[in-house]
Each structure stands twice: as structure tokens, then as C-alpha cells.
Amino acid sequence: MSYQKFTGIMPALVTPLTKDERINVPELEKLINYLIDKKADGFYIGGATGEGLALRPEERRILAEESIRILGGRKPSIIQIASTDYNQALELAKHAESVGADAISATPPLFFAYDEDDIYNYYKGLANAVHIPLIIYYNPAAGFTVNAKFAARAFEVDNITGIKWTSSDYFQMMLLKDMTHGEMNVINGPDEMLLMGLCAGADGGIGTTYNFMIDIIRGVWESFHAGDIAKAREYQIRAAKIIYPLLKYKGIPTTKVILEKMGFDVGYPSYPMKQYTNEQKEEVLSVMREAGLDI
């Protein structure tokens, strides 16, 4: 299959929400345009950072529609469509294709003890439902370990073209690249290890912190591709120092606090995720500044 390979620096887009957890479309437009101005190469929409699994299906459809409308073909979009309801995931996949998504993506189904064949059939069914690429979303937190052998098997399915690799197992990533002769589109997930992913063969990166420190992340990418590994490492260390306290204070709530400080009305995370008081927000911002974030 001939397909678009997603490369470069792609924010896992934060979803701006109103108080009643509806999509705040004006702020969504403001954030996307800001990130395009900052040289984002594409967008991963409705993923973990975007709270997709926690949003109502109608809001997920609005998020996909409005994001693609705002992008207007300027940058590619990957829409995350996973759901605990398989039929709903199919509907979201078809909807994403119908509104112009460049690809869909999905975590493995959650909670139940699915075996490898179950997960394979799940991805095959989603891929067969559309005519655009499917990017597997591998995160060990989802409860299923994707190794190189499984991913290479899935790659043989029409429309399954890539994987978002949110794992520190770069040995398996390298094996996967080798098993698929470099053809599978592998995108690094852990923000704090982008450089490691690039060295292991990743074609790009998708990350939460790209929303608020894309300049530092682009420094990793551009230095690596310029052959200046020492400089890329300096940028990666800067990013890691900022990410360390971010993990302590919870990634999505803290990211929303930072974006709010930057002038984006992204709202609180979806309930029951942590919602900081004004005093807690100041504490978080103070810690992030001490870590090196210019905010």
C-alpha cells in the first residue's frame, strides 16, 4: 500500500474544554494556529493528552471535525478513535475518515484479558472499516504489551501503516524497524526520550509537552537531523528536567495549567481528573519555572 508517512514533531493536542466539558472551539483554533506558527509538523487529536477516551462521543466528533476544519490541509491529522465499545470505535473511525482525517489511531481495547489474536482482530477490523491509514497506539498502560513480532504481523494488514510507540523498550522498536525493512511508520511517544527514539529509528515524535515547549522539542529534532548529537542531547536534557516535575504533578492537569498561563483558555481536565485550585496552580507554575520552563 502507498501511504503517507508521518514525520517530524507532532503535538498530542490538548483539548480545550468548557465548564460542562464541551469542546471550546475558539480556543482550539487559537492553540492549533499557535502550534502551526511554532512549526508543528502534524497533530495527534483526541489521544490520551486530548482526553479522548473520557469525552462524550458527540464531543469527540466535534473535536475531529473542528480540528480538521481549522487545519484546512495545512498539516496532517491523526484522530484517535479507541473506545471501550468496539462498535463506537468503528463509528468514530468512519466519521474521522468522512471529515478528512489523514489517519486514525487506537489503543488496544482496555481492561479485559484479551490475547494476541483478539488484539490483532480488533485492529484488523478497525483498519478494514476505513480507507485511510491506521496507526496503532502502543502504551503499556493500556494493559497489552506490543512487541516487534506482533506489530510486524499487524503491519501486514492493509491500512495498518504505523505505530505510536509510547514505550521505553527501544530494543523492540529497533527490531520492528528491521522486521519491516524500515517501512512501518514508527513514531516516538515518550517526550523525555525523543532522542533515544530517533536513534532507534523513529520517524518522528508525538508528545504532550509539545503543546507548551515545542521550541525545545524542535531543538532535539533539528539538531539530530543536522548530525549534531551533542546539541540534540542538550535539548533533550532541558526537556527531561521540565518533564520530571510534570510527571509528579500529573501530566494533563499540569499541561492545562501551563497553557492557561500562556493565555489559552483550555479549561479544567475532564472529571474526575485532578483540578487544581488557584493556589495549587501557582505552586505548579513555580516548580515548572525552577525546572527551566520559561513561563
Side-chain angles (χ1 to χ4, degrees), residues 164-206:
K164 178 179 182 286
W165 191 272
T166 308
S167 167
S168 61
D169 192 343
Y170 291 106
F171 171 62
Q172 289 292 325
M173 179 191 282
M174 288 189 291
L175 287 178
L176 175 59
K177 272 293 188 177
D178 182 63
M179 287 180 182
T180 60
H181 309 289
E183 294 179 3
M184 191 169 193
N185 190 182
V186 179
I187 309 168
N188 189 76
D191 301 28
E192 66 276 17
M193 292 183 283
L194 173 61
L195 179 57
M196 295 72 158
L198 295 177
C199 289
D203 302 299
I206 293 171

Side-chain angles (χ1 to χ4, degrees), residues 171-246:
F171 171 62
Q172 289 292 325
M173 179 191 282
M174 288 189 291
L175 287 178
L176 175 59
K177 272 293 188 177
D178 182 63
M179 287 180 182
T180 60
H181 309 289
E183 294 179 3
M184 191 169 193
N185 190 182
V186 179
I187 309 168
N188 189 76
D191 301 28
E192 66 276 17
M193 292 183 283
L194 173 61
L195 179 57
M196 295 72 158
L198 295 177
C199 289
D203 302 299
I206 293 171
T208 301
T209 62
Y210 301 11
N211 285 274
F212 63 82
M213 61 174 186
I214 190 169
D215 290 340
I216 297 175
I217 298 298
R218 285 215 66 87
V220 178
W221 170 262
E222 292 171 5
S223 299
F224 175 82
H225 284 279
D228 191 342
I229 303 302
K231 190 69 173 177
R233 183 174 178 273
E234 288 178 14
Y235 277 112
Q236 187 66 78
I237 290 171
R238 284 180 62 191
K241 287 179 178 178
I242 292 167
I243 292 165
Y244 183 74
L246 181 83

